Amino acid sequence: MKEKVGEVFSIARDNAPVRGCTISREVHGGTSSITYFSLAEGTDISAEIHPYHKLILVMSGSIAVYGEGTERRLGSGDGLLTEADKAVGIRASEDAVYTEISVQKEDRMNTVIKAGEVFRLADLVPYQDGKIVNMDVVHNDSMKFVVMSFDEGTGLAEHAAPGEALIFALDGEGIIGYEGKEHVIHAGENFHFAKGGRHYVKASGKFKMALLLTLE
């Protein structure tokens, strides 16, 4: 994965739009590719047909996803699984940054996610007293995308990552321990684990995050 390792960063801040331009940066290839898109106000990625789904996660700003007589508006923190084999385009009425994950038809998608319906990533899992709540959003043999909520004082014990992992902090504040050093992460920020990197997660208060694990 072409992303900095072992430090807190922000996909939104690090991929600021450029006036009049659309920008894409692939950070992971393969069938479960991960790409950052930066769309300046008034720009448009014209509708295209793909034989797979796209999981779109808005990092900042807002976009409209359109095609075949439909239009869905997404703001920061929103997600959308596009429909496969249908024309899909994206336009921005203001500067926007989003992450796009390729999802194949045969991938195992949680039934709470419906293609073409906007959802809020942080709202997929509730908080529960003294517990960690986990939901697999989509997975295949080489990728897993999970949303988790941590009640105050809960956490994951130190372990090694079986692949590279990208963290999306969704709500509250958490502590990421990585290779012996602690990092405070807030909603809207990101963190990247290298394969084999030893890490843990602690919730000083209520905390939600998504984890995108790649095994390719």
Side-chain angles (χ1 to χ4, degrees):
M1 189 181 294
K2 303 170 187 175
E3 192 54 270
K4 61 187 75 175
V5 176
E7 61 182 277
V8 176
F9 68 99
S10 167
I11 293 172
R13 286 195 303 266
D14 294 352
N15 295 275
V18 174
R19 184 178 179 184
C21 300
T22 63
I23 304 170
S24 64
R25 179 163 77 94
E26 185 180 79
V27 294
H28 180 74
T31 56
S32 301
S33 63
I34 305 166
T35 307
Y36 303 151
F37 284 87
S38 306
L39 273 61
E41 177 184 353
T43 61
D44 186 306
I45 297 176
S46 57
E48 299 174 332
I49 299 173
H50 294 278
Y52 54 87
H53 305 280
K54 297 179 180 182
L55 181 58
I56 295 171
L57 308 171
V58 180
M59 306 289 102
S60 65
S62 62
I63 59 174
V65 180
Y66 65 90
E68 300 190 12
T70 66
E71 181 173 292
R72 301 287 185 270
R73 295 188 177 275
L74 289 76
S76 181
D78 287 340
L80 176 75
L81 181 71
T82 66
E83 296 183 78
D85 301 317
K86 290 190 176 181
V88 175
I90 299 176
R91 66 170 66 96
S93 57
E94 62 176 319
D95 287 356
V97 178
Y98 65 92
T99 299
E100 182 180 288
I101 305 164
S102 297
V103 177
Q104 304 303 311
K105 295 176 185 176
E106 62 273 19
D107 291 350
R108 295 172 288 282
M109 196 82 195
N110 196 301
T111 56
V112 303
I113 306 297
K114 308 296 184 186
E117 295 183 5
V118 178
F119 62 90
R120 191 155 186 83
L121 201 56
D123 292 344
L124 291 180
V125 290
Y127 288 113
Q128 289 199 348
D129 291 345
K131 298 177 182 178
I132 300 170
V133 182
N134 180 94
M135 175 188 284
D136 280 6
V137 176
V138 60
H139 66 280
N140 58 35
D141 292 340
S142 61
M143 177 270 288
K144 188 172 188 178
F145 187 57
V146 182
V147 180
M148 308 176 73
S149 71
F150 298 80
D151 192 26
E152 182 177 358
T154 63
L156 302 176
E158 187 176 54
H159 59 284
E164 294 189 88
L166 183 60
I167 297 293
F168 301 79
L170 304 175
D171 184 55
E173 176 185 296
I175 297 171
I176 304 291
Y178 186 77
E179 294 293 343
K181 185 177 180 181
E182 287 195 340
H183 307 263
V184 178
I185 188 169
H186 303 90
E189 295 180 327
N190 305 93
F191 201 93
H192 175 210
F193 303 142
K195 181 178 180 179
R198 300 198 63 81
H199 64 278
Y200 57 84
V201 179
K202 295 191 297 187
S204 48
K206 292 182 181 297
F207 176 58
K208 290 183 181 181
M209 72 178 204
L211 182 148
L212 177 58
L213 178 67
T214 60
L215 301 171
E216 290 179 313

